[in-house]
């Protein structure tokens, strides 16, 4: 055995039987004259170090403790290298207290000792512990390296410690370490997570050398700050520069494509994924499924799902969520059953998607069934998102009083999303009393959200209570909450065309043609009996003026432009920042019959697929 050596001289030896706990075993001694098998101190220590490293890789805490006991037993704990390995072992096994005990008992600490302990705090999510140890290291005058600084910056990023991060940046400048790739990447990451995206990009631009991790971190920072177009632009720049593409880069870019509903760019990234071979990764596959689902191409989303060689819970959840978003509850439920047949246990995310599918179609009984099944069959405790879905399910099916009772019985405070679901249901069923209760709660929780004031005003208007409408709008002005302006956009030939009612619309270079084509289309639709649903305009004005106000809503303009530019076989995909109004919903249904086109509208709540006069939502939206 390597741990043994032959000798015919006298040595100070450790010829003892190593405990059966340790994985090292001695071979039977060879019976020879004048020769004995001995294990020296250095060799024994080398054996233990090798075993500690193996235990760290395998996260084998019990065996690691046994090795530690052997080291203490033979009085070898003073060795600095061994102590560093023990700190690393306990850190990877999640036992941070043991790591700190080893560190505190060390007689002599090297730079690696400090780095390893600071890294241990960072890896285990204790940002404050890492920062305190870094300050202590500087106070003791210990030598430090860029690894310690980058580790403590990462710790600050995990805890969003903005002030401390700026201090560390100043320290990096003073120590001339800001140009180091590790330090620079950690700096831009912490600035991005603290929402100082301009500072993050400034650090990125000033870095003399950028690794693929640096590029992917900057893209992820843009995505985290909702700057999706900037993320895509940076990805294009990275490709032109010849930067190596990694899985983190792909993941960030796919997230940007999903958020923008950029189908063309999503397909291009899919081609890169196929070319680089990253498609086998379950997380990349999940991102692709999500992109196609959010871009309105649910068939392609399902095709990617089916092609995935291995499917984890995240991939199944993403596909179920996609079906829910596209008002395909039957497919979502079938997938839920298949998931269990594959011996995968549904988690809380699975049930959120499933309940969401039930909510979009008003399937109250199915929703109750799954809500009860969570705890009974899969031991999943309902959280605030599950309760929010149940309130939505009950409200959409007209059981508003039951939805309010569920809110009162919840084990935690209702969120803005829950009260918003109740308020929206009150609008559909014109329940003014509960609408006022929900609105008051929303005014407290999110005072700057003008949409809640508008929705309450619309409920009053729908019930003909014009004095209350005036009071609600006066309250909106006093609150200084800003109402988000309705906007729709459509992607044609690699360009995104945006439309808004009024001033925003006339900036489009072809707005005259669009108005003319829309007027002609409305005339064709009137021949089929469509005259506009003026009850969806809640202003106290004449009917003719209401029709004029509804006529040029942004989604109608976007649809008309798509009709002018896209080939007859291509579906018209429209994105909208607000909920589609009732009049536009009816318009799209009739327009799909008149034009023979498939129309896909993604509003801020869900997808609507219009085909031959019908919508996939089944009038639940």
């Amino acid at each position: 055995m390597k741990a043994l050596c032959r000798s015919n001289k006298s040595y100070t030896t450790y010829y003892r039987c190593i405990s059966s706990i340790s994985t090292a075993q001695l071979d039977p001694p060879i019976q020879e004259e004048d020769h004995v098998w001995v294990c020296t101190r250095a060799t024994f220590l080398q054996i233990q170090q090798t075993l500690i490293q193996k235990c760290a890789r395998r996260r084998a805490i019990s065996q690691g403790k046994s090795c530690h006991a052997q080291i203490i037993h033979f009085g070898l704990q003073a060795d600095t290298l061994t102590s560093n390995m023990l700190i690393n072992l306990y850190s990877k096994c999640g036992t941070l207290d043991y790591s700190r005990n080893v560190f505190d008992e060390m007689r002599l600490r090297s730079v690696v000792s400090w780095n390893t302990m600071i890294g241990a705090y960072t890896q285990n999510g204790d940002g404050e512990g890492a920062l305190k140890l870094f300050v202590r290291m500087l106070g003791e005058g210990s030598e430090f390296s860029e690894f310690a600084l980058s580790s403590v910056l990462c710790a600050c990023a995990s805890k969003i410690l903005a002030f401390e991060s700026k201090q560390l940046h100043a320290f990096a400048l003073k120590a001339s370490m800001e140009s180091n790739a590790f330090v620079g990447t950690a700096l831009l990451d912490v600035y991005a997570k603290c929402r100082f995206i301009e500072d993050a990009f400034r650090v990125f631009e000033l870095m003399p050398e950028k690794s693929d991790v640096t590029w992917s971190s900057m893209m992820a920072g843009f995505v985290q700050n909702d700057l999706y177009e900037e993320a895509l632009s940076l990805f294009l720049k990275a490709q032109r520069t010849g930067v190596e593409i990694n899985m983190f880069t792909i993941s960030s870019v796919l997230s940007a494509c999903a958020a923008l509903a950029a189908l063309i760019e999503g397909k291009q990234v899919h081609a890169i994924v196929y070319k680089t071979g990253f498609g086998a990764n379950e997380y990349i596959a999940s991102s692709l499924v999500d992109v196609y689902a959010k871009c309105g191409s649910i068939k392609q989303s399902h095709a990617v799902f089916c092609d995935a060689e291995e499917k984890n819970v995240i991939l199944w959840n993403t596909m179920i969520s996609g079906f829910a978003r596209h008002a395909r509850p039957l497919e979502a439920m079938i997938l839920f059953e298949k998931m269990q047949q594959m011996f995968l246990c549904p988690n809380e995310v699975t049930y959120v998607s499933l309940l969401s599918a039930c909510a979009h179609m008003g399937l109250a009984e199915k929703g109750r069934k799954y809500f009860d099944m969570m705890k009974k069959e899969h031991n999943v405790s309902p959280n605030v998102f599950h309760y929010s879905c149940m309130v939505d399910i009950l409200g959409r099916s007209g059981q508003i009083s039951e939805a309010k009772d569920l809110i009162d019985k919840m084990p935690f405070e209702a969120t803005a999303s829950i009260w918003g679901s109740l308020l929206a249901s009150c609008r559909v069923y014109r329940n003014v009393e509960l609408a006022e209760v929900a609105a008051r709660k929303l005014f407290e929780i999110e005072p700057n959200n003008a949409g809640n004031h508008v929705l309450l005003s619309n409920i009053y208007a729908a019930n003909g209570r014009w004095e209350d409408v005036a009071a609600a709008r006066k309250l909106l002005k006093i609150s200084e909450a800003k109402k988000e302006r309705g906007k729709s956009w459509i992607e044609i030939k690699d360009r995104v065309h945006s439309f808004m009612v009024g001033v925003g619309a006339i900036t489009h270079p072809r707005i005259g043609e669009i108005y003319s084509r829309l007027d002609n289309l409305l005339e064709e639709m009137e021949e089929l009996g469509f005259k506009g649903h003026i009850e969806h305009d809640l202003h106290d004005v004449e009917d003719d003026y209401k029709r004029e106000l509804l006529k040029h809503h942004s989604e109608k303009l976007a649809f008309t432009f798509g009709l002018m530019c896209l080939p007859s076989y291509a579906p018209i995909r429209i994105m909208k920042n607000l909920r589609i109004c009732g009049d536009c919903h009816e318009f799209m249904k009739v327009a799909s019959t008149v034009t023979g086109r498939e129309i896909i509208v993604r509003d801020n709540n869900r997808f609507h697929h219009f085909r031959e006069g019908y919508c996939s939502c089944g009038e639940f939206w």
Side-chain angles (χ1 to χ4, degrees):
M1 188 175 179
K2 290 182 180 179
L4 302 177
C5 63
R6 294 191 64 180
S7 174
N8 56 2
K9 295 182 180 180
S10 173
Y11 286 92
T12 302
T13 65
Y14 284 86
Y15 185 58
R16 303 186 184 183
C17 180
I18 297 176
S19 171
S20 60
I21 299 175
S22 175
T23 55
Q25 295 179 351
L26 295 172
D27 293 334
I30 301 173
Q31 300 297 327
E32 294 184 22
E33 287 187 31
D34 301 325
H35 291 84
V36 293
W37 288 93
V38 297
C39 181
T40 67
R41 177 189 180 96
T43 306
F44 177 79
L45 193 58
Q46 187 179 5
I47 292 171
Q48 296 304 316
Q49 289 173 351
T50 302
L51 293 173
I52 290 169
Q53 288 176 316
K54 287 183 178 179
C55 291
R57 284 195 295 270
R58 299 174 183 175
R59 309 297 194 268
I61 183 66
S62 297
Q63 291 86 345
K65 285 181 178 180
S66 299
C67 292
H68 192 180
Q70 291 284 336
I71 290 165
I72 294 172
H73 180 71
F74 290 113
L76 302 174
Q77 64 270 29
D79 183 72
T80 302
L81 177 59
T82 306
S83 294
N84 292 342
M85 290 180 176
L86 286 168
I87 293 170
N88 180 57
L89 163 70
Y90 289 129
S91 169
K92 289 186 175 178
C93 293
T95 51
L96 199 57
D97 289 342
Y98 288 169
S99 291
R100 187 56 191 261
N101 288 339
V102 173
F103 178 83
D104 288 339
E105 291 172 2
M106 291 178 70
R107 297 176 186 174
L108 182 65
R109 301 185 185 97
S110 65
V111 176
V112 176
S113 306
W114 291 95
N115 289 350
T116 307
M117 193 62 236
I118 290 171
Y121 278 120
T122 302
Q123 291 164 14
N124 286 273
D126 189 350
E128 293 178 357
L131 192 59
K132 287 178 181 178
L133 192 62
F134 182 74
V135 172
R136 178 184 161 187
M137 179 182 71
L138 297 178
E140 292 185 8
S142 175
E143 184 184 354
F144 68 93
S145 68
E146 64 273 10
F147 298 105
L149 185 56
S150 59
S151 289
V152 78
L153 280 166
C154 291
C156 289
S158 66
K159 296 296 182 180
I160 320 296
L161 302 175
F163 179 71
E164 292 81 353
S165 300
K166 289 186 176 182
Q167 289 180 312
L168 289 167
H169 189 183
F171 180 79
L173 290 168
K174 187 177 179 180
S176 300
M177 286 187 175
E178 77 282 0
S179 60
N180 179 270
F182 295 104
V183 175
T185 302
L187 272 171
L188 72 88
D189 182 54
V190 72
Y191 277 133
K193 286 178 179 173
C194 292
R195 312 296 289 184
F196 300 139
I197 193 62
E198 291 181 1
D199 292 327
F201 190 63
R202 191 177 296 112
V203 171
F204 175 81
E205 288 282 87
L206 293 174
M207 289 179 65
E209 294 183 7
K210 305 178 183 73
S211 66
D212 59 321
V213 177
T214 309
W215 286 87
S216 61
S217 296
M218 193 64 248
M219 289 177 213
F222 279 134
V223 172
Q224 289 161 9
N225 286 269
D226 302 330
L227 298 172
Y228 307 113
E229 292 180 2
E230 287 80 354
L232 290 179
S233 297
L234 191 63
F235 177 67
L236 291 174
K237 185 177 178 181
Q239 285 187 296
R240 296 191 192 103
T241 311
V243 177
E244 183 181 353
I245 303 299
N246 59 39
M247 287 189 290
F248 302 103
T249 307
I250 295 293
S251 180
S252 295
V253 174
L254 287 173
S255 296
C257 292
L260 292 170
L263 181 61
I264 294 173
E265 288 80 0
K267 287 182 175 180
Q268 290 172 341
V269 178
H270 190 181
I272 294 172
V273 169
Y274 183 81
K275 184 178 179 181
T276 54
F278 288 144
N281 182 276
E282 295 169 331
Y283 299 99
I284 296 295
S286 297
S287 296
L288 282 169
V289 168
D290 189 48
V291 166
Y292 283 116
K294 287 181 177 175
C295 290
S297 184
I298 193 65
K299 290 182 180 178
Q300 186 65 41
S301 179
H302 190 233
V304 173
F305 172 81
C306 292
D307 289 342
E309 296 177 5
E310 294 184 10
K311 300 180 179 70
N312 59 9
V313 175
I314 295 173
L315 186 56
W316 285 87
N317 287 348
T318 306
M319 193 67 251
I320 292 172
S321 175
F323 279 135
R325 195 179 292 114
H326 286 265
R328 307 275 283 271
L330 182 60
E331 287 92 333
M333 293 174 194
I334 291 172
L335 212 59
F336 176 71
E337 297 299 330
K338 286 184 177 179
M339 177 183 181
Q340 294 175 85
Q341 291 170 9
M342 299 298 293
F343 301 104
L344 286 171
C345 187
N347 58 22
E348 53 189 27
V349 178
T350 315
Y351 276 104
V352 168
S353 299
L354 204 58
L355 291 170
S356 177
C358 295
H360 283 317
M361 299 304 292
L363 304 175
E365 292 306 314
K366 283 285 186 183
R368 285 194 184 93
K369 172 191 168 185
Y370 290 126
F371 192 76
D372 293 337
M373 184 190 295
M374 288 173 58
K375 186 69 177 175
K376 292 179 181 177
E377 294 191 18
H378 297 114
N379 197 31
V380 176
S381 298
N383 60 30
V384 67
F385 300 106
H386 302 114
Y387 276 99
S388 180
C389 288
M390 275 308 300
V391 169
D392 201 24
I393 289 170
L394 296 171
R396 286 175 185 272
S397 59
Q399 303 172 59
I400 300 177
S401 297
E402 189 176 343
K404 176 61 170 59
D405 291 340
L406 182 62
I407 293 174
D408 294 336
K409 293 175 183 176
M410 287 194 311
F412 29 69
E413 288 292 322
T415 62
S417 175
I418 292 175
W419 288 115
S421 294
L422 185 65
L423 184 61
S425 299
C426 290
R427 182 194 63 81
V428 175
Y429 294 98
R430 301 190 177 186
N431 189 321
V432 178
E433 182 182 353
L434 286 179
E436 290 176 334
V437 173
R440 280 196 296 270
K441 292 288 186 180
L442 286 167
F443 295 161
E444 293 174 9
I445 298 171
E446 42 183 23
N448 295 323
N449 187 345
N452 299 323
H453 293 271
V454 174
L455 194 51
L456 179 62
S457 171
N458 290 348
I459 293 169
Y460 285 140
N463 286 273
R465 294 171 55 169
W466 299 109
E467 291 183 3
D468 290 325
V469 170
R473 290 179 177 170
K474 183 179 179 181
L475 181 62
L476 173 58
K477 288 182 180 179
I478 295 171
S479 70
E480 297 183 353
K482 293 183 179 179
K483 179 184 176 184
E484 188 176 4
R485 193 171 185 181
K487 177 182 177 182
S488 298
W489 62 95
I490 184 170
E491 188 174 3
I492 296 173
K493 295 181 180 179
D494 293 338
R495 283 193 61 193
V496 175
H497 299 263
S498 300
F499 297 91
M500 288 186 288
V501 177
V503 178
I506 61 176
T507 58
H508 195 279
R510 299 181 65 183
I511 193 63
E513 295 177 64
I514 294 170
Y515 277 153
S516 176
R517 182 70 181 88
L518 178 57
D519 289 340
N520 293 335
L521 179 62
L522 286 169
E523 288 178 8
E524 291 182 56
M525 293 170 67
E526 284 179 9
E527 293 178 4
L528 295 176
F530 178 79
K531 295 183 178 179
H533 290 248
I534 58 173
E535 68 272 16
H536 295 295
D537 184 274
L538 302 174
H539 294 85
D540 189 14
V541 294
E542 297 295 327
D543 288 355
D544 289 342
Y545 188 57
K546 284 188 175 183
R547 289 190 178 91
E548 194 63 30
L549 289 172
L550 292 167
K551 185 177 180 180
H552 294 146
H553 274 194
S554 62
E555 51 265 60
K556 292 175 183 171
L557 297 173
F559 164 74
T560 306
F561 186 63
L563 194 64
M564 291 163 51
C565 299
L566 292 172
S568 58
Y569 59 82
I572 299 174
R573 304 174 192 274
I574 302 164
M575 309 299 157
K576 185 172 173 61
N577 64 331
L578 302 177
R579 184 178 180 272
I580 187 172
C581 78
D583 176 69
C584 288
H585 192 268
E586 292 299 317
F587 170 87
M588 296 296 175
K589 285 165 61 177
V590 179
S592 68
T593 301
V594 173
T595 63
R597 305 292 289 269
E598 179 185 0
I599 308 167
I600 302 170
V601 178
R602 188 187 88 168
D603 64 11
N604 68 342
N605 192 32
R606 65 177 303 167
F607 276 93
H608 300 264
H609 293 255
F610 300 94
R611 191 184 290 110
E612 297 178 356
Y614 295 94
C615 179
S616 61
C617 74
E619 307 309 310
F620 283 91
W621 87 97

